[in-house]
Amino acid sequence: MVLDRPSASLREADLPEPEPGPGQLLVQVDACAVCRTDLHVADGELPNPKLPLVLGHQVVGTVVGEDRRVGIPWLGWTDGECRFCRSGRENLCDRARFTGYDSDGGYAEYTVVDERFCFPLPEGYSGLEAAPLLCAGLIGYRSLRLSGEGERLGLYGFGASAHIVAQVARHEGRRVFAFTRPGDEKGQAFARDLGAVWAGSSDEKPPEELDAAIIFAPVGALVPLALGALAKGGSVVCAGIHMTDIPAFPYELLWGERVVRSIANLTRQDGEELLALAPEVPVRTEVEVFPLERANEALDDLRAGRLRGAAVLVP
C-alpha cells in the first residue's frame, strides 16, 4: 500500500521485491501494526517523508532464507558517531532514518531492514500480538521510564500505547488513572478492564493528585489539564511525535517543580528491555485485524477513535 502524496488515500500497488543492501535483511512481512505516526505522515503533519512511501514501522516478519522472526521498529538507522549516539541517546541522532518515513516500511509483503536495528521477538507471542509492542509498546515504555517512579499515573488517551503501558505500570505496583475523550464510555470500560483504578473524561479531575501523567493523544490542550491534575514535583510526558499547539497557561500550574517533557523516538535499549519484560508481566495486546488492502479503513478507524487496542494489518 503506497502513499503518493500527503492527505491522499493509500493505493494498492505491485512493487518489485526490495533488494537488501550490505548489512540488511530481506523480511517477509507477517503483520504490521498501525501507528498514529503513520496517520501523521499520511495526513501531512510530519514534513518531508520519502514519496512515494510504504508506511509502517511496527513490523513482524520472517527473514527470507532463515527460520528467524524479527521485529522492525521506527528507528531504522543512526550514524553511531554524533554526540547523541556516543552518549547513549541514539534516539536524538540528527541523521537518523526512520522506517515507514525515510525508507519503505511494513504495509507490504516484503521489506528490508538494517540487521542492527531489528529485534528478536519473545517466545509465546504471535505476529499479531507482538506487532503493537514495536512502537506503541516501546514509546509507552520509554515514556513510563522517563515519567519517574511515582505511584499514581495518569494516561491521557487510552489507545494502543496506553493499553500496553497500563499493564507494565500495574506490574510495577503503580495505580493507573485513565482519561479518554469525553463520552467515550467504551474506552473507559476498556481501561477499567485492564486494571485502571479510575477512568473518566480528559476534562475531569481525577479523585487524587497524580505523580505523573503521560499524554498519548496528540492534543496540546491536554498539557495544562494534566498539569492541573499533578501533585508538586510531578511530570507530564508528551509521548507523541506530533501534537497540536499547547495553549498558554498560568505559571502556577508549572510551579512546585512540576515538569513538562517530550519523548522522541526510541533507542535499541528500550526495545531490548521491553521485549524482555513483556513475557514477565505478561503484556497482552488487544488487536483488531485488517487485511493489508484495507489499510485506509484501519487508518480511518484510528483517526476516529473507533479502535479498541491496536489495528494490525496482515498481508
Side-chain angles (χ1 to χ4, degrees), residues 3 7-10 34-36 38-45 55 181 218 295-307 311:
L3 177 71
S7 301
S9 295
L10 307 185
V34 177
C35 181
R36 185 165 291 277
D38 300 336
L39 197 58
H40 293 316
V41 176
D43 289 348
E45 293 168 331
L55 294 170
R181 299 180 187 188
N296 286 306
E297 181 182 337
L299 289 168
D300 287 342
D301 285 353
L302 175 58
R303 185 184 291 107
R306 290 191 288 263
L307 296 171

Side-chain angles (χ1 to χ4, degrees), residues 127-250:
L128 294 174
E129 295 165 332
L133 297 176
L134 294 165
C135 186
L138 290 181
I139 289 300
Y141 176 77
R142 184 171 182 82
S143 300
L144 183 63
R145 294 279 73 77
L146 296 180
S147 70
E149 298 180 354
E151 178 200 359
R152 298 165 298 182
L153 176 69
L155 301 178
Y156 284 78
F158 206 84
S161 282
H163 98 285
I164 294 171
V165 79
Q167 297 174 62
V168 176
R170 290 193 61 229
H171 177 72
E172 295 179 344
R174 308 185 197 222
R175 292 186 296 139
V176 173
F177 297 76
F179 299 81
T180 71
R181 299 180 187 188
D184 184 7
E185 295 182 3
K186 289 184 178 179
Q188 293 164 21
F190 184 31
R192 287 189 288 267
D193 288 345
L194 289 173
V197 298
W198 177 88
S201 298
S202 57
D203 56 0
E204 292 184 67
K205 277 283 186 76
E208 302 175 46
E209 288 186 316
L210 304 174
D211 298 311
I214 303 174
I215 300 178
F216 292 111
V219 181
L222 292 175
V223 172
L225 291 175
L227 279 170
L230 280 189
K232 288 184 286 188
S235 297
V236 172
V237 179
C238 302
I241 194 170
H242 171 82
M243 180 178 269
T244 58
D245 289 347
I246 299 171
F249 56 83

Side-chain angles (χ1 to χ4, degrees), residues 2-278:
V2 175
L3 177 71
D4 290 309
R5 64 185 186 280
S7 301
S9 295
L10 307 185
R11 64 175 173 87
E12 291 187 58
D14 289 323
L15 302 178
E17 184 176 295
E19 295 186 9
Q24 292 186 320
L25 302 172
L26 176 62
V27 176
Q28 184 172 6
V29 176
D30 299 325
C32 184
V34 177
C35 181
R36 185 165 291 277
T37 299
D38 300 336
L39 197 58
H40 293 316
V41 176
D43 289 348
E45 293 168 331
L46 294 181
N48 305 317
K50 166 192 172 297
L51 291 175
L53 174 69
V54 178
L55 294 170
H57 58 271
Q58 301 185 90
V59 189
V60 174
T62 303
V63 179
V64 173
E66 301 182 33
D67 184 20
R68 176 162 58 121
R69 280 199 321 166
V70 295
I72 302 175
W74 171 245
L75 186 66
W77 181 87
T78 62
D79 64 24
E81 300 173 350
C82 68
R83 64 192 182 97
F84 297 113
C85 288
R86 288 186 284 106
S87 60
R89 298 177 292 165
E90 65 182 6
N91 59 307
L92 302 179
C93 176
D94 288 329
R95 298 178 61 206
R97 296 179 62 80
F98 301 103
T99 309
Y101 184 66
D102 297 304
S103 60
D104 286 336
Y107 287 22
E109 294 177 306
Y110 292 90
T111 191
V112 296
V113 62
D114 186 318
E115 187 167 13
R116 300 169 300 170
F117 287 85
C118 61
F119 300 114
L121 296 171
E123 297 294 330
Y125 284 82
S126 68
L128 294 174
E129 295 165 332
L133 297 176
L134 294 165
C135 186
L138 290 181
I139 289 300
Y141 176 77
R142 184 171 182 82
S143 300
L144 183 63
R145 294 279 73 77
L146 296 180
S147 70
E149 298 180 354
E151 178 200 359
R152 298 165 298 182
L153 176 69
L155 301 178
Y156 284 78
F158 206 84
S161 282
H163 98 285
I164 294 171
V165 79
Q167 297 174 62
V168 176
R170 290 193 61 229
H171 177 72
E172 295 179 344
R174 308 185 197 222
R175 292 186 296 139
V176 173
F177 297 76
F179 299 81
T180 71
R181 299 180 187 188
D184 184 7
E185 295 182 3
K186 289 184 178 179
Q188 293 164 21
F190 184 31
R192 287 189 288 267
D193 288 345
L194 289 173
V197 298
W198 177 88
S201 298
S202 57
D203 56 0
E204 292 184 67
K205 277 283 186 76
E208 302 175 46
E209 288 186 316
L210 304 174
D211 298 311
I214 303 174
I215 300 178
F216 292 111
V219 181
L222 292 175
V223 172
L225 291 175
L227 279 170
L230 280 189
K232 288 184 286 188
S235 297
V236 172
V237 179
C238 302
I241 194 170
H242 171 82
M243 180 178 269
T244 58
D245 289 347
I246 299 171
F249 56 83
Y251 176 65
E252 67 177 304
L253 287 179
L254 188 61
W255 189 81
E257 300 193 348
R258 295 174 179 88
V259 174
V260 178
R261 68 169 303 153
S262 67
I263 295 297
N265 312 314
L266 62 120
T267 67
R268 284 172 284 181
Q269 182 177 345
D270 295 327
E272 292 162 2
E273 290 179 1
L274 176 64
L275 293 172
L277 177 62

